[in-house]
Structure formats: structure tokens, C-alpha cells
């Protein structure tokens, strides 16, 4: 038979799955204690809520911008930029533990951009890493794996904070996210990305 079942667990897909798990766990380390950390450095609940609203607005604005980038340039470069934004936000939020509301606030705002960018890039890159015949199964596993890990990472995050403080918790999250750059370096999706790009329309020739 000429029809062969295409591989489900391709090299790129495994890398994307690992990257998504790294992203999900490191994100959970940061987001679980955010409100508590804000109160600890002296911010009011109203201010914390206002910052959260601003983060959402930034995420909404940045998502189409990063989508446009992915349509125009190599998706790996956009992934590097997205992870870089998120890494910077983790570092700033961690530094905000020393009663520094400025670092905390700026870190939260940068997080809005990084969050929207990474989420969009991961979904797009994963869709390029799975065959069209198995894309539904691939996406479902891709989304489910980090959710399983998130069942226990909040406990680890709060233990780190109670034992070592917010700065160590932020540092652990940043270091963990940094390992995601290794996954991106091993991805080979640029050619697939180019092949799926719309072809330029040829002018109609009149004979």
C-alpha cells in the first residue's frame, strides 16, 4: 500500500511539547503568588487589580503584532523574541520582591507582551510540527501535558516562597524558562513555514 500512516511524535513536535511544558511550569511559578507578592511589597489590592487589567490590555495589543511578525519572518526568531520578553519579565518580577514596586510593575507589564507572544508562537509552531491528518490529536496532547504538570507546580512555588522567598522563586522560574531556548535552537520549522506561506499571485497575461 502506498498510503503510510504519518508519524505523530515527530522530532519537532516532541521539542514543542517539551517547550510548552517548560513554559507552563515556569509561568505557574510566577503567576501563582503574584497577588500575594504585590501585597507583600506594599501595593493595594486596587493597584494590583489595575496592573492586572493593564497586563491584559497589553496582551491583546501585542498578540496581532506578533502574529504579523510570524507571517513575515522566520518563526524561530519570533520565538526567541517572545521567550526573551517573558524571561525579562520573570527576572524583573523576582527583583520586585525587595520592596521594589517599580520592578514588579514593569515586570508585570512586560509579562503581558511575553505571555501573548509565547502563547501565539507555540500554537503556530506546533501546528507546523504535526501532520495535517493528526493535528487534532497533536494539539490536544500539546495543551493537556502542561495542565497535568500544573496540578502540583503551585505547591512547589509556594514552598519555595515560604522557604527561600520571592526572589528565589522568580530565579527558578527564569532559569527554567531559559532552558526553553535550547529547544528552540533544535527546531527545524523554518522550511515548513516558508512552504506554507501563500504564494504570490502571478499577473494575468493576455495573449
Amino acid at each position: 500500500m502506498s498510503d503510510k500512516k504519518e508519524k505523530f511524535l515527530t522530532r519537532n513536535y516532541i521539542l514543542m511539547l517539551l517547550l510548552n511544558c517548560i513554559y507552563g511550569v515556569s509561568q505557574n511559578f510566577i503567576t501563582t503568588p503574584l497577588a500575594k507578592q504585590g501585597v507583600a511589597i506594599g501595593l493595594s489590592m486596587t493597584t494590583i487589580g489595575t496592573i492586572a487589567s493593564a497586563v491584559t490590555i497589553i496582551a491583546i495589543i501585542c498578540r496581532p503584532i506578533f502574529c504579523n511578525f510570524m507571517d513575515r519572518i522566520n518563526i524561530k526568531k519570533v520565538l526567541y523574541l517572545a521567550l526573551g520578553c517573558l524571561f525579562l519579565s520573570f527576572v524583573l518580577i523576582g527583583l520586585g520582591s525587595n520592596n521594589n514596586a517599580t520592578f514588579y510593575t514593569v515586570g508585570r507589564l512586560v509579562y503581558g507582551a511575553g505571555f501573548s507572544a509565547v502563547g501565539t508562537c507555540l500554537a503556530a509552531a506546533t501546528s507546523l510540527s504535526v501532520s495535517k491528518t493528526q493535528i487534532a490529536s497533536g494539539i490536544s496532547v500539546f495543551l493537556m501535558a502542561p495542565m497535568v504538570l500544573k496540578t502540583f507546580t503551585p505547591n512547589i512555588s509556594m514552598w519555595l516562597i515560604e522557604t527561600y522567598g520571592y526572589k528565589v522563586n522568580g530565579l527558578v522560574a527564569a532559569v527554567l524558562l531559559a532552558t526553553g531556548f535550547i529547544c528552540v535552537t533544535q527546531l527545524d520549522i523554518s522550511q515548513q513555514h516558508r512552504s506554507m506561506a501563500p504564494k504570490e499571485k502571478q499577473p494575468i497575461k493576455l495573449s
Side-chain angles (χ1 to χ4, degrees):
M1 294 178 65
S2 59
D3 292 338
K4 290 184 178 180
K5 190 173 182 180
E6 294 177 311
K7 279 186 173 182
F8 173 51
L9 294 176
T10 63
R11 181 174 179 273
N12 279 340
Y13 179 77
I14 293 173
L15 286 169
M16 290 307 307
L17 185 62
L18 179 59
L19 179 57
N20 195 36
C21 289
I22 291 171
Y23 162 63
V25 172
S26 61
Q27 180 195 42
N28 225 23
F29 274 110
I30 288 294
T31 57
T32 298
L34 272 178
K36 183 179 179 182
Q37 182 179 353
V39 172
I41 62 177
L43 297 177
S44 67
M45 294 303 293
T46 302
T47 302
I48 294 172
T50 302
I51 293 173
S53 297
V55 169
T56 302
I57 294 171
I58 290 174
I60 292 172
I61 294 172
C62 288
R63 181 152 288 176
I65 294 174
F66 277 93
C67 286
N68 185 51
F69 285 166
M70 284 187 291
D71 287 336
R72 293 175 178 272
I73 63 178
N74 190 315
I75 198 170
K76 284 180 64 172
K77 293 180 180 179
V78 184
L79 259 175
Y80 282 127
L81 177 61
L83 288 172
C85 286
L86 208 60
F87 178 81
L88 175 62
S89 74
F90 287 4
V91 172
L92 289 172
I93 291 172
L95 292 175
S97 61
N98 290 337
N99 292 325
N100 194 320
T102 301
F103 279 159
Y104 174 87
T105 303
V106 174
R108 292 282 284 119
L109 298 178
V110 175
Y111 172 83
F115 166 74
S116 66
V118 172
T120 304
C121 289
L122 288 179
T126 302
S127 67
L128 296 174
S129 304
V130 185
S131 66
K132 292 181 180 179
T133 58
Q134 302 193 32
I135 193 167
S137 299
I139 294 297
S140 66
V141 174
F142 173 80
L143 295 174
M144 181 184 65
M147 291 179 66
V148 173
L149 296 175
K150 286 181 180 181
T151 59
F152 58 84
T153 48
N155 295 334
I156 299 175
S157 173
M158 298 310 292
W159 174 81
L160 279 173
I161 291 168
E162 290 178 352
T163 308
Y164 302 104
Y166 291 103
K167 183 181 288 187
V168 172
N169 181 68
L171 178 63
V172 170
V175 170
L176 183 59
L177 183 68
T179 62
F181 285 94
I182 300 174
C183 295
V184 179
T185 61
Q186 301 302 310
L187 285 173
D188 183 22
I189 56 176
S190 57
Q191 185 61 40
Q192 290 172 289
H193 188 222
R194 286 194 294 270
S195 66
M196 292 184 68
K199 296 180 180 179
E200 293 184 3
K201 292 182 177 179
Q202 298 296 326
I204 299 174
K205 295 182 179 180
L206 297 176
S207 55

